[in-house]
Amino acid sequence: MQKTLAERMEDHALEPVPKEYRKSWIQLSWSTVGIVTTLLQLYLGAFLSFTAGIKIALAAGFLIALIGSALGWAAGHIAFKSGLSSSPMARHYGLGVKGSIIISATFAFMLIGFIAAENVLLYNGFLFYAGIEDSLVTKVACFGALTVAWISLTAFGFEQVSRVTSIMLVSFLGVLAYMLFAVINSSGTPISEVLSFPSQFSSEALESMGAVTDTAKLIFCMNVLAGTAGALALVDADLGRYASTGKDIAIAAVLSNFMLSFFMIAVGAIIMYAGVPALIDYYVTVQGLSEVAARQIAIENPDRIVAAFVIFGGALGTLLMVAANSKAQVINTYSSSLALSNFFDVTFSWRPGRIVFVVGANITALFFLSGEFLIWFKSFLVILGTLTTSIATVIAADYFIVRKIKGSQQHNENVAELWNWAGVLAVGLSFVLAHFALVDLIKIEVLTAMATVLVVYPLLRLFVFKSQITPGGP
């Protein structure tokens, strides 16, 4: 069945996806894997491995991948059953109509920040590759072009998003394989050393991050990675509503989480560590720095991973930047438009169409570039990660625990409570305990958040703030 142009652009933003439009796990995985294979995640791989050593960073990634896979499957499965994206889904499961503002605001803010951060990485890469100066004209031209590109590529809904991400993902993986071979082959560093290198930062830098002992390093890495894993669970829901079966979204969720927290961490670590000698040589011979200064830039600034791609890959490295970020930006824009659609519908009863929020998300991302806002946003990621994890866990607890005890996991799409106070309070309490009250005792915040929700929400929902609506009926 063919959709009209208006239907493609709206893309069932606030309504269930009909059965005839459902997709296989392969089609879903283009997008779930596409959003996590980015320069930002490669940078995190380099940063975390330089902080903790590659073995500890990968151990942390593996543990977070397990947690993220479970949470992503749970959220995606509910989306598959209901046909709804994450924000409208929260109206029926966990938060209520007005309460769903919490997930919409948190998720949209997080994704718009990601759009801005990835745009900056691309912009810096273009400057480095072209050898041009940073100026207002350059900023306007580059960020303007990127904004138009993400709007155009996301305007026509899931079908177009899936096509774009599939092409870009294949391109990305192909160039990435070439980059890995080129970096390792040119470095002369034994592969055994590349796969076992220890922390590269000074003791003073590690102490400032609270990552001195091996345990502290593991906790530090898990907290950083947990933020993106929490957001990915909600993306899995946005895409899981298109799943043909529960198995389809389960496979897509597991693939994306292990690509996010394990594969990309390993690749980012390997490229940066093996590439350090070539980076030092470049900064000495091309930019005229002393060897000491060049080494400091190469080792202490793993955000120079963009420079590594350009130095090693030239035009192919630049292609990698475009391929890696384009597919992620398309999904970031797509999911943020869904969250904003719900936010403005619930808050102002305003439904101008999803395309308005596609444009709005990208325009808002431009304001994130002013002053120190983007730096502040990056420091806020642990908080956002804890919140998104708490929200996803409330939705899962409502569906898999409370609804199962009550005997029905169905919902009436036309009937929902205004506020599910059990869910709202569970999210608030889990965040306060995880980020403030218990952070010195249990340092991995997402574990505290998830455990709190799984205990508190069912008790509140079953015995205090009982539902006034019969599941599956009016």
PDB file of all heavy atoms in Angstrom, residues 286-312:
ATOM      1  N   VAL A 286      54.049  19.395   9.445  1.00  0.00           N
ATOM      2  CA  VAL A 286      53.117  20.265   8.735  1.00  0.00           C
ATOM      3  C   VAL A 286      52.816  21.540   9.522  1.00  0.00           C
ATOM      4  O   VAL A 286      52.803  22.640   8.967  1.00  0.00           O
ATOM      5  CB  VAL A 286      51.805  19.525   8.407  1.00  0.00           C
ATOM      6  CG1 VAL A 286      50.808  20.461   7.736  1.00  0.00           C
ATOM      7  CG2 VAL A 286      52.084  18.322   7.516  1.00  0.00           C
ATOM      8  N   GLN A 287      52.601  21.398  10.825  1.00  0.00           N
ATOM      9  CA  GLN A 287      52.216  22.555  11.620  1.00  0.00           C
ATOM     10  C   GLN A 287      53.378  23.164  12.397  1.00  0.00           C
ATOM     11  O   GLN A 287      53.205  24.174  13.075  1.00  0.00           O
ATOM     12  CB  GLN A 287      51.067  22.181  12.572  1.00  0.00           C
ATOM     13  CG  GLN A 287      49.799  21.755  11.829  1.00  0.00           C
ATOM     14  CD  GLN A 287      48.592  21.660  12.746  1.00  0.00           C
ATOM     15  OE1 GLN A 287      48.697  21.788  13.961  1.00  0.00           O
ATOM     16  NE2 GLN A 287      47.427  21.421  12.151  1.00  0.00           N
ATOM     17  N   GLY A 288      54.543  22.530  12.325  1.00  0.00           N
ATOM     18  CA  GLY A 288      55.734  23.111  12.920  1.00  0.00           C
ATOM     19  C   GLY A 288      55.794  23.087  14.435  1.00  0.00           C
ATOM     20  O   GLY A 288      56.533  23.871  15.049  1.00  0.00           O
ATOM     21  N   LEU A 289      55.058  22.192  15.067  1.00  0.00           N
ATOM     22  CA  LEU A 289      55.106  22.093  16.522  1.00  0.00           C
ATOM     23  C   LEU A 289      56.325  21.297  16.962  1.00  0.00           C
ATOM     24  O   LEU A 289      56.880  20.503  16.193  1.00  0.00           O
ATOM     25  CB  LEU A 289      53.836  21.404  17.045  1.00  0.00           C
ATOM     26  CG  LEU A 289      52.496  22.094  16.755  1.00  0.00           C
ATOM     27  CD1 LEU A 289      51.357  21.268  17.327  1.00  0.00           C
ATOM     28  CD2 LEU A 289      52.460  23.499  17.335  1.00  0.00           C
ATOM     29  N   SER A 290      56.723  21.495  18.211  1.00  0.00           N
ATOM     30  CA  SER A 290      57.793  20.669  18.763  1.00  0.00           C
ATOM     31  C   SER A 290      57.243  19.267  19.000  1.00  0.00           C
ATOM     32  O   SER A 290      56.025  19.067  19.098  1.00  0.00           O
ATOM     33  CB  SER A 290      58.286  21.250  20.084  1.00  0.00           C
ATOM     34  OG  SER A 290      57.272  21.147  21.078  1.00  0.00           O
ATOM     35  N   GLU A 291      58.146  18.304  19.109  1.00  0.00           N
ATOM     36  CA  GLU A 291      57.692  16.928  19.311  1.00  0.00           C
ATOM     37  C   GLU A 291      56.939  16.780  20.626  1.00  0.00           C
ATOM     38  O   GLU A 291      55.959  16.037  20.705  1.00  0.00           O
ATOM     39  CB  GLU A 291      58.881  15.970  19.288  1.00  0.00           C
ATOM     40  CG  GLU A 291      58.451  14.511  19.330  1.00  0.00           C
ATOM     41  CD  GLU A 291      59.597  13.555  19.048  1.00  0.00           C
ATOM     42  OE1 GLU A 291      60.601  13.988  18.460  1.00  0.00           O
ATOM     43  OE2 GLU A 291      59.468  12.381  19.413  1.00  0.00           O
ATOM     44  N   VAL A 292      57.367  17.508  21.658  1.00  0.00           N
ATOM     45  CA  VAL A 292      56.699  17.442  22.962  1.00  0.00           C
ATOM     46  C   VAL A 292      55.269  17.978  22.849  1.00  0.00           C
ATOM     47  O   VAL A 292      54.307  17.364  23.333  1.00  0.00           O
ATOM     48  CB  VAL A 292      57.487  18.230  24.028  1.00  0.00           C
ATOM     49  CG1 VAL A 292      56.687  18.294  25.334  1.00  0.00           C
ATOM     50  CG2 VAL A 292      58.841  17.590  24.255  1.00  0.00           C
ATOM     51  N   ALA A 293      55.128  19.137  22.201  1.00  0.00           N
ATOM     52  CA  ALA A 293      53.801  19.734  22.033  1.00  0.00           C
ATOM     53  C   ALA A 293      52.912  18.859  21.155  1.00  0.00           C
ATOM     54  O   ALA A 293      51.719  18.696  21.428  1.00  0.00           O
ATOM     55  CB  ALA A 293      53.935  21.127  21.427  1.00  0.00           C
ATOM     56  N   ALA A 294      53.500  18.300  20.111  1.00  0.00           N
ATOM     57  CA  ALA A 294      52.737  17.435  19.205  1.00  0.00           C
ATOM     58  C   ALA A 294      52.233  16.194  19.933  1.00  0.00           C
ATOM     59  O   ALA A 294      51.084  15.773  19.754  1.00  0.00           O
ATOM     60  CB  ALA A 294      53.593  17.044  18.014  1.00  0.00           C
ATOM     61  N   ARG A 295      53.087  15.604  20.769  1.00  0.00           N
ATOM     62  CA  ARG A 295      52.692  14.407  21.528  1.00  0.00           C
ATOM     63  C   ARG A 295      51.561  14.742  22.499  1.00  0.00           C
ATOM     64  O   ARG A 295      50.628  13.971  22.670  1.00  0.00           O
ATOM     65  CB  ARG A 295      53.890  13.836  22.279  1.00  0.00           C
ATOM     66  CG  ARG A 295      53.566  12.610  23.142  1.00  0.00           C
ATOM     67  CD  ARG A 295      54.835  11.997  23.699  1.00  0.00           C
ATOM     68  NE  ARG A 295      55.652  11.443  22.629  1.00  0.00           N
ATOM     69  CZ  ARG A 295      55.471  10.238  22.103  1.00  0.00           C
ATOM     70  NH1 ARG A 295      54.502   9.461  22.543  1.00  0.00           N
ATOM     71  NH2 ARG A 295      56.248   9.804  21.145  1.00  0.00           N
ATOM     72  N   GLN A 296      51.652  15.907  23.130  1.00  0.00           N
ATOM     73  CA  GLN A 296      50.627  16.309  24.083  1.00  0.00           C
ATOM     74  C   GLN A 296      49.271  16.466  23.390  1.00  0.00           C
ATOM     75  O   GLN A 296      48.247  16.033  23.898  1.00  0.00           O
ATOM     76  CB  GLN A 296      51.014  17.617  24.764  1.00  0.00           C
ATOM     77  CG  GLN A 296      50.035  18.058  25.847  1.00  0.00           C
ATOM     78  CD  GLN A 296      50.518  19.288  26.573  1.00  0.00           C
ATOM     79  OE1 GLN A 296      51.512  19.898  26.204  1.00  0.00           O
ATOM     80  NE2 GLN A 296      49.807  19.675  27.613  1.00  0.00           N
ATOM     81  N   ILE A 297      49.276  17.084  22.204  1.00  0.00           N
ATOM     82  CA  ILE A 297      48.022  17.263  21.460  1.00  0.00           C
ATOM     83  C   ILE A 297      47.456  15.912  21.037  1.00  0.00           C
ATOM     84  O   ILE A 297      46.254  15.654  21.170  1.00  0.00           O
ATOM     85  CB  ILE A 297      48.260  18.144  20.217  1.00  0.00           C
ATOM     86  CG1 ILE A 297      48.533  19.589  20.641  1.00  0.00           C
ATOM     87  CG2 ILE A 297      47.048  18.090  19.294  1.00  0.00           C
ATOM     88  CD1 ILE A 297      48.876  20.510  19.487  1.00  0.00           C
ATOM     89  N   ALA A 298      48.314  15.036  20.544  1.00  0.00           N
ATOM     90  CA  ALA A 298      47.863  13.750  20.011  1.00  0.00           C
ATOM     91  C   ALA A 298      47.284  12.848  21.094  1.00  0.00           C
ATOM     92  O   ALA A 298      46.266  12.180  20.882  1.00  0.00           O
ATOM     93  CB  ALA A 298      49.013  13.038  19.301  1.00  0.00           C
ATOM     94  N   ILE A 299      47.927  12.828  22.264  1.00  0.00           N
ATOM     95  CA  ILE A 299      47.520  11.900  23.315  1.00  0.00           C
ATOM     96  C   ILE A 299      46.441  12.486  24.219  1.00  0.00           C
ATOM     97  O   ILE A 299      45.494  11.802  24.595  1.00  0.00           O
ATOM     98  CB  ILE A 299      48.744  11.468  24.157  1.00  0.00           C
ATOM     99  CG1 ILE A 299      49.662  10.602  23.296  1.00  0.00           C
ATOM    100  CG2 ILE A 299      48.307  10.701  25.395  1.00  0.00           C
ATOM    101  CD1 ILE A 299      50.899  10.116  24.014  1.00  0.00           C
ATOM    102  N   GLU A 300      46.567  13.758  24.558  1.00  0.00           N
ATOM    103  CA  GLU A 300      45.654  14.332  25.541  1.00  0.00           C
ATOM    104  C   GLU A 300      44.394  14.906  24.908  1.00  0.00           C
ATOM    105  O   GLU A 300      43.515  15.392  25.613  1.00  0.00           O
ATOM    106  CB  GLU A 300      46.371  15.402  26.358  1.00  0.00           C
ATOM    107  CG  GLU A 300      47.497  14.838  27.210  1.00  0.00           C
ATOM    108  CD  GLU A 300      48.130  15.869  28.124  1.00  0.00           C
ATOM    109  OE1 GLU A 300      47.603  16.998  28.188  1.00  0.00           O
ATOM    110  OE2 GLU A 300      49.130  15.544  28.773  1.00  0.00           O
ATOM    111  N   ASN A 301      44.286  14.851  23.595  1.00  0.00           N
ATOM    112  CA  ASN A 301      43.093  15.370  22.926  1.00  0.00           C
ATOM    113  C   ASN A 301      42.534  14.328  21.955  1.00  0.00           C
ATOM    114  O   ASN A 301      42.668  14.467  20.734  1.00  0.00           O
ATOM    115  CB  ASN A 301      43.423  16.657  22.161  1.00  0.00           C
ATOM    116  CG  ASN A 301      43.795  17.792  23.088  1.00  0.00           C
ATOM    117  OD1 ASN A 301      42.942  18.473  23.635  1.00  0.00           O
ATOM    118  ND2 ASN A 301      45.092  17.985  23.272  1.00  0.00           N
ATOM    119  N   PRO A 302      41.911  13.282  22.487  1.00  0.00           N
ATOM    120  CA  PRO A 302      41.359  12.261  21.581  1.00  0.00           C
ATOM    121  C   PRO A 302      40.226  12.776  20.725  1.00  0.00           C
ATOM    122  O   PRO A 302      39.771  12.091  19.814  1.00  0.00           O
ATOM    123  CB  PRO A 302      40.873  11.168  22.553  1.00  0.00           C
ATOM    124  CG  PRO A 302      40.684  11.855  23.856  1.00  0.00           C
ATOM    125  CD  PRO A 302      41.705  12.945  23.897  1.00  0.00           C
ATOM    126  N   ASP A 303      39.754  14.027  20.994  1.00  0.00           N
ATOM    127  CA  ASP A 303      38.759  14.602  20.102  1.00  0.00           C
ATOM    128  C   ASP A 303      39.360  14.905  18.735  1.00  0.00           C
ATOM    129  O   ASP A 303      38.646  15.225  17.788  1.00  0.00           O
ATOM    130  CB  ASP A 303      38.157  15.871  20.707  1.00  0.00           C
ATOM    131  CG  ASP A 303      39.208  16.924  21.015  1.00  0.00           C
ATOM    132  OD1 ASP A 303      40.321  16.552  21.413  1.00  0.00           O
ATOM    133  OD2 ASP A 303      38.896  18.112  20.854  1.00  0.00           O
ATOM    134  N   ARG A 304      40.704  14.797  18.630  1.00  0.00           N
ATOM    135  CA  ARG A 304      41.358  14.981  17.333  1.00  0.00           C
ATOM    136  C   ARG A 304      41.166  13.768  16.425  1.00  0.00           C
ATOM    137  O   ARG A 304      41.865  13.620  15.435  1.00  0.00           O
ATOM    138  CB  ARG A 304      42.854  15.222  17.538  1.00  0.00           C
ATOM    139  CG  ARG A 304      43.186  16.482  18.327  1.00  0.00           C
ATOM    140  CD  ARG A 304      42.667  17.724  17.635  1.00  0.00           C
ATOM    141  NE  ARG A 304      42.938  18.934  18.393  1.00  0.00           N
ATOM    142  CZ  ARG A 304      43.970  19.741  18.183  1.00  0.00           C
ATOM    143  NH1 ARG A 304      44.832  19.464  17.230  1.00  0.00           N
ATOM    144  NH2 ARG A 304      44.139  20.820  18.912  1.00  0.00           N
ATOM    145  N   ILE A 305      40.209  12.920  16.784  1.00  0.00           N
ATOM    146  CA  ILE A 305      39.965  11.735  15.962  1.00  0.00           C
ATOM    147  C   ILE A 305      39.536  12.141  14.552  1.00  0.00           C
ATOM    148  O   ILE A 305      39.794  11.434  13.576  1.00  0.00           O
ATOM    149  CB  ILE A 305      38.913  10.808  16.613  1.00  0.00           C
ATOM    150  CG1 ILE A 305      38.925   9.426  15.954  1.00  0.00           C
ATOM    151  CG2 ILE A 305      37.513  11.422  16.565  1.00  0.00           C
ATOM    152  CD1 ILE A 305      38.390   8.333  16.811  1.00  0.00           C
ATOM    153  N   VAL A 306      38.890  13.307  14.433  1.00  0.00           N
ATOM    154  CA  VAL A 306      38.539  13.827  13.106  1.00  0.00           C
ATOM    155  C   VAL A 306      39.803  14.066  12.297  1.00  0.00           C
ATOM    156  O   VAL A 306      39.885  13.711  11.111  1.00  0.00           O
ATOM    157  CB  VAL A 306      37.726  15.128  13.233  1.00  0.00           C
ATOM    158  CG1 VAL A 306      37.595  15.800  11.879  1.00  0.00           C
ATOM    159  CG2 VAL A 306      36.343  14.837  13.804  1.00  0.00           C
ATOM    160  N   ALA A 307      40.818  14.667  12.938  1.00  0.00           N
ATOM    161  CA  ALA A 307      42.089  14.913  12.252  1.00  0.00           C
ATOM    162  C   ALA A 307      42.730  13.599  11.821  1.00  0.00           C
ATOM    163  O   ALA A 307      43.318  13.508  10.740  1.00  0.00           O
ATOM    164  CB  ALA A 307      43.033  15.691  13.167  1.00  0.00           C
ATOM    165  N   ALA A 308      42.592  12.582  12.667  1.00  0.00           N
ATOM    166  CA  ALA A 308      43.180  11.280  12.327  1.00  0.00           C
ATOM    167  C   ALA A 308      42.561  10.729  11.050  1.00  0.00           C
ATOM    168  O   ALA A 308      43.262  10.202  10.179  1.00  0.00           O
ATOM    169  CB  ALA A 308      42.972  10.298  13.479  1.00  0.00           C
ATOM    170  N   PHE A 309      41.252  10.853  10.899  1.00  0.00           N
ATOM    171  CA  PHE A 309      40.602  10.347   9.697  1.00  0.00           C
ATOM    172  C   PHE A 309      41.081  11.080   8.449  1.00  0.00           C
ATOM    173  O   PHE A 309      41.303  10.478   7.398  1.00  0.00           O
ATOM    174  CB  PHE A 309      39.081  10.473   9.816  1.00  0.00           C
ATOM    175  CG  PHE A 309      38.488   9.578  10.860  1.00  0.00           C
ATOM    176  CD1 PHE A 309      37.424  10.010  11.625  1.00  0.00           C
ATOM    177  CD2 PHE A 309      39.008   8.318  11.078  1.00  0.00           C
ATOM    178  CE1 PHE A 309      36.882   9.182  12.604  1.00  0.00           C
ATOM    179  CE2 PHE A 309      38.474   7.487  12.045  1.00  0.00           C
ATOM    180  CZ  PHE A 309      37.416   7.916  12.802  1.00  0.00           C
ATOM    181  N   VAL A 310      41.230  12.397   8.559  1.00  0.00           N
ATOM    182  CA  VAL A 310      41.657  13.182   7.406  1.00  0.00           C
ATOM    183  C   VAL A 310      43.109  12.877   7.058  1.00  0.00           C
ATOM    184  O   VAL A 310      43.466  12.716   5.883  1.00  0.00           O
ATOM    185  CB  VAL A 310      41.470  14.685   7.679  1.00  0.00           C
ATOM    186  CG1 VAL A 310      42.034  15.509   6.530  1.00  0.00           C
ATOM    187  CG2 VAL A 310      39.996  15.013   7.888  1.00  0.00           C
ATOM    188  N   ILE A 311      43.973  12.777   8.082  1.00  0.00           N
ATOM    189  CA  ILE A 311      45.401  12.523   7.843  1.00  0.00           C
ATOM    190  C   ILE A 311      45.612  11.155   7.212  1.00  0.00           C
ATOM    191  O   ILE A 311      46.354  11.003   6.245  1.00  0.00           O
ATOM    192  CB  ILE A 311      46.190  12.636   9.158  1.00  0.00           C
ATOM    193  CG1 ILE A 311      46.195  14.094   9.645  1.00  0.00           C
ATOM    194  CG2 ILE A 311      47.624  12.138   8.975  1.00  0.00           C
ATOM    195  CD1 ILE A 311      46.743  14.261  11.042  1.00  0.00           C
ATOM    196  N   PHE A 312      44.939  10.142   7.774  1.00  0.00           N
ATOM    197  CA  PHE A 312      45.144   8.780   7.277  1.00  0.00           C
ATOM    198  C   PHE A 312      44.346   8.490   6.006  1.00  0.00           C
ATOM    199  O   PHE A 312      44.802   7.759   5.134  1.00  0.00           O
ATOM    200  CB  PHE A 312      44.747   7.751   8.350  1.00  0.00           C
ATOM    201  CG  PHE A 312      45.684   7.690   9.498  1.00  0.00           C
ATOM    202  CD1 PHE A 312      45.279   8.080  10.762  1.00  0.00           C
ATOM    203  CD2 PHE A 312      46.991   7.257   9.349  1.00  0.00           C
ATOM    204  CE1 PHE A 312      46.130   8.038  11.840  1.00  0.00           C
ATOM    205  CE2 PHE A 312      47.855   7.210  10.423  1.00  0.00           C
ATOM    206  CZ  PHE A 312      47.430   7.596  11.679  1.00  0.00           C
TER     207      PHE A 312
END
